[in-house]
Amino acid sequence: MTWHVQTPRITKQTYFDDISVGTELPNRVVGPVDSCDTVRFCSAWETYGALHTDYKWCTANGYRDVVLNGPLKNAILISYVDQWVGEGGYLKKLMCQHRGWDYHDAVFTGFGKVTRTYEDGGLLCADLEVGLRNERDEISCPGTATVVLPRRGGPPAPIEYPLSDWGKKVVSNLANARPGPARSRRGEGGEGGGASAPAPTGGNMIPDEAKAVIGTKGEPVSWPFPLDRSTVRRFGQATYEEKPIYADIEYARNSRWGELCAPPICVIRAPFDDEGLMGEAAAPPVPIPGARGGGNGGNESEWFRPVKLGDTITQHAYLADLVQRTGRAQTIIIVRAETVYTNQRSEVVAVGRQDTLRLIPTPRS
Amino acid sequence: MTTESQEQKVYVTPEVKAQIGQGGPPASWPEPLDRMSLRRYVLATDDENPLYRDEEYARRSKYGGLIAPPFFVAAYPIAFAQIIEEWQHEHPEELRPGGAPAVRIEGLRRGVNAGSEIEWYRPFCLGDTLTWKARISDIVQRTGRSGPMVVSTTETEFRNQRGELVAIMRGSGIRMN
């Protein structure tokens, strides 16, 4: 009925001195993730699609149970790495792919390994291979992360960072993007149209009208209210957050952050409006005939500064690319949207890339 | 004969009656009522009343700002149930903060929710925090269609951060065989 974390809380500080290539992160087991957990997450995120809530709908549509949200797994992975770096470290960047379906009562084991340690502009960094293994022993959520760690006896990792090369590129791509086609609101037609049109056969499945959307941006979307305590609490409860700067206001106000902060997943996945419009959904729509949508292919995010109570985040997304992968049974079109997250002072707090999958079944000959 | 003796059996013994008045210490959580909580509640209940969702309208009203819908007082503690449950898990011997213990009656196993009533005294406003305290207020025996039953009532008092009474909720439960 609530989250069951089966291994002890990870509260100790990880130091740069203590790791080297090959060092393994202690596992963290989360689950079984049951219907209460998904309700809690869907509520925090304000997304209520049948795929993630409705058993009858899921089984009638060929799924064996309610499908867990990709962002929920993303959140569990982020939280796992974020706790490992401790209060003195900083989770800089995390990429995660979604390799398959997970269902209610899934049990995830977070795992990770250091693949590189280096100094970058005076910062002590480590690259990690991380992931979630499910109860069927499949790696359902592989990813990579970059973290900044303190040296034993040294100062903690900074909490604010200049834009990285990737961050600069995403910001500049957005600035140069043309306004894209308007997105229809829910109840006003399908996903950019074309879902019921016949698919082109063979070869290039991405029509010119879709390619024309690359490099265009959607409307900026802002949080309806400045970040308030109940939002932080809901995300914390939904993702079993244990780091005190996201959970304990007294502690946070007396810390070097100075205020209760939004957990990283809340920055990139906060609720935006009644329809839960966010991430790739905020980029212009892409018409791909014959394709059904929109599996979650994964996401990469980089954070540059904390988001605190009272902050209002605006996200602005553009269509970065369309990539075709043709297999025997189906063609997958990866719709890649990139997003800049800025606060009310126009400071970039994060950038992200979201891959959404459109599937075109190969016609039987 | 058996039926008659069952009907006459007294379940609300003096020991059972002695549970009246029992309740845990007050519970509160220092999270002021905020826009996001109100927004979710009115979306979930399809409540169109602008007093709960339109800041401008509410400011010009006699309340001077947004207030919570009436039943929200009952919902508010539920947001913190998980936190209280974790505390209770670590303190199994203590009475649950903000709650009343379950009424124990020898011989009656089934329990059902028999409904609740709420009295409101003043609005629960944006920025307010609540403290709530519950106690068993009544235990009586009745005879229903399926035999004897015991109705117990738990009274929960909600006060704001100034100690002012906001609402009293009385929830009843039935024990039967």
Side-chain angles (χ1 to χ4, degrees):
Chain A
M1 77 158 268
T2 54
W3 288 92
H4 314 287
V5 176
Q6 295 167 354
T7 44
R9 294 180 177 198
I10 303 166
T11 49
K12 69 182 180 71
Q13 181 59 50
T14 302
Y15 293 100
F16 190 74
D17 321 53
D18 301 337
I19 61 158
S20 55
V21 172
T23 301
E24 292 195 3
L25 280 65
N27 290 339
R28 183 184 188 224
V29 180
V30 174
V33 180
D34 61 20
S35 56
C36 291
D37 299 316
T38 50
V39 165
R40 200 175 285 127
F41 187 77
C42 289
S43 164
W45 188 29
E46 287 196 24
T47 176
Y48 301 103
L51 183 65
H52 306 307
T53 55
D54 188 337
Y55 178 79
K56 278 187 195 162
W57 185 93
C58 286
T59 48
N61 284 276
Y63 303 97
R64 71 170 163 81
D65 204 327
V66 170
V67 177
L68 298 186
N69 315 49
L72 172 58
K73 294 189 275 182
N74 193 355
I76 293 171
L77 187 59
I78 287 174
S79 179
Y80 167 61
V81 181
D82 193 30
Q83 287 188 35
W84 180 71
V85 302
E87 292 281 303
Y90 190 85
L91 170 60
K92 190 79 184 63
K93 193 172 180 182
L94 187 136
M95 182 278 284
C96 102
Q97 294 177 341
H98 295 298
R99 287 272 175 88
W101 306 110
D102 284 295
Y103 303 92
H104 268 167
D105 301 324
V107 178
F108 296 111
T109 303
F111 63 89
K113 195 171 73 178
V114 176
T115 56
R116 187 181 163 222
T117 58
Y118 53 102
E119 229 182 291
D120 181 9
L123 300 173
L124 304 168
C125 304
D127 289 346
L128 316 172
E129 249 172 42
V130 293
L132 296 180
R133 197 185 300 278
N134 65 20
E135 74 286 359
R136 301 185 299 273
D137 210 29
E138 301 158 346
I139 298 179
S140 71
C141 238
T144 58
T146 300
V147 299
V148 183
L149 294 171
R151 203 185 283 286
R152 200 175 279 281
I159 57 176
E160 291 185 5
Y161 292 82
L163 279 185
S164 62
D165 289 345
W166 183 46
K168 283 180 194 157
K169 190 171 151 239
V170 173
V171 168
S172 127
N173 285 350
L174 176 70
N176 296 326
R178 312 179 300 282
R183 176 166 291 276
S184 59
R185 305 290 284 182
R186 188 168 296 174
E188 291 177 17
E191 175 68 20
S196 56
T201 46
N204 183 9
M205 311 282 259
I206 305 174
D208 289 342
E209 311 86 79
K211 282 188 191 143
V213 184
I214 296 174
T216 67
K217 57 188 165 192
E219 291 291 317
V221 188
S222 297
W223 289 3
F225 314 116
L227 181 70
D228 55 26
R229 278 186 71 176
S230 72
T231 302
V232 177
R233 170 175 53 77
R234 271 185 211 95
F235 267 87
Q237 289 174 328
T239 58
Y240 215 85
E241 191 54 68
E242 289 167 353
K243 237 176 153 170
I245 56 159
Y246 312 133
D248 183 338
I249 196 164
E250 290 305 316
Y251 178 94
R253 286 186 171 160
N254 290 312
S255 74
R256 60 199 177 105
W257 281 265
E259 184 53 281
L260 193 69
C261 295
I265 189 69
C266 176
V267 176
I268 57 165
R269 287 285 177 184
F272 278 120
D273 66 10
D274 299 356
E275 300 183 343
L277 178 71
M278 51 190 317
E280 72 286 357
V286 183
I288 300 174
R292 61 186 178 82
N296 188 336
N299 150 297
E300 180 160 20
S301 305
E302 186 167 2
W303 296 269
F304 302 106
R305 55 181 65 234
V307 172
K308 302 176 181 180
L309 286 193
D311 284 355
T312 299
I313 299 305
T314 298
Q315 75 163 51
H316 205 167
Y318 64 93
L319 182 68
D321 205 1
L322 295 170
V323 182
Q324 177 176 337
R325 300 261 159 80
T326 301
R328 203 170 304 165
Q330 63 182 4
T331 294
I332 299 175
I333 311 288
I334 302 169
V335 179
R336 181 162 290 169
E338 292 181 335
T339 303
V340 177
Y341 303 84
T342 43
N343 64 19
Q344 68 280 15
R345 293 178 295 276
S346 302
E347 296 162 335
V348 176
V349 298
V351 297
R353 193 189 71 225
Q354 172 69 43
D355 286 348
T356 306
L357 308 180
R358 302 283 190 84
L359 311 175
I360 309 173
T362 304
R364 289 187 190 163
S365 49
Chain B
M1 283 300 279
T2 319
T3 314
E4 229 163 73
S5 68
Q6 255 184 14
E7 275 175 8
Q8 285 161 8
K9 180 169 178 192
V10 174
Y11 288 95
V12 184
T13 58
E15 294 78 55
V16 169
K17 275 268 186 202
Q19 295 177 69
I20 293 175
Q22 285 183 9
S28 66
W29 189 251
E31 179 184 294
L33 176 63
D34 60 29
R35 293 290 315 265
M36 217 51 173
S37 290
L38 273 185
R39 161 195 156 84
R40 279 151 204 273
Y41 191 87
V42 298
L43 286 176
T45 54
D46 258 345
D47 202 320
E48 300 286 344
N49 191 331
L51 277 176
Y52 315 141
R53 53 201 308 171
D54 183 338
E55 203 153 31
E56 247 335 283
Y57 178 93
R59 195 172 296 137
R60 284 183 274 108
S61 76
K62 64 178 173 181
Y63 300 103
L66 289 169
I67 60 169
F71 197 63
F72 194 89
V73 288
Y76 182 84
I78 292 171
F80 313 110
Q82 192 186 356
I83 295 161
I84 292 176
E85 210 157 281
E86 280 168 16
W87 183 90
Q88 178 89 85
H89 189 72
E90 288 162 20
H91 303 84
E93 302 305 316
E94 307 274 345
L95 285 170
R96 187 187 177 86
V103 173
R104 288 176 305 278
I105 290 153
E106 207 65 38
L108 296 178
R109 291 184 308 121
R110 281 198 303 145
V112 291
N113 183 341
S116 67
E117 63 172 29
I118 307 185
E119 276 177 56
W120 292 274
Y121 294 89
R122 50 174 50 75
F124 178 26
C125 304
L126 195 74
D128 282 358
T129 51
L130 285 185
T131 297
W132 61 99
K133 186 178 182 338
R135 64 181 186 97
I136 298 169
S137 59
D138 202 12
I139 306 173
V140 291
Q141 183 163 343
R142 301 239 168 85
T143 305
R145 262 169 302 176
S146 59
M149 59 186 202
V150 171
V151 183
S152 64
T153 305
T154 296
E155 194 174 277
T156 309
E157 222 181 68
F158 299 88
R159 291 180 182 272
N160 63 21
Q161 67 279 17
R162 291 178 295 276
E164 298 162 338
L165 187 61
V166 172
I168 295 176
M169 181 164 78
R170 290 178 199 92
S172 296
I174 294 176
R175 295 271 164 172
M176 60 173 114
N177 263 322

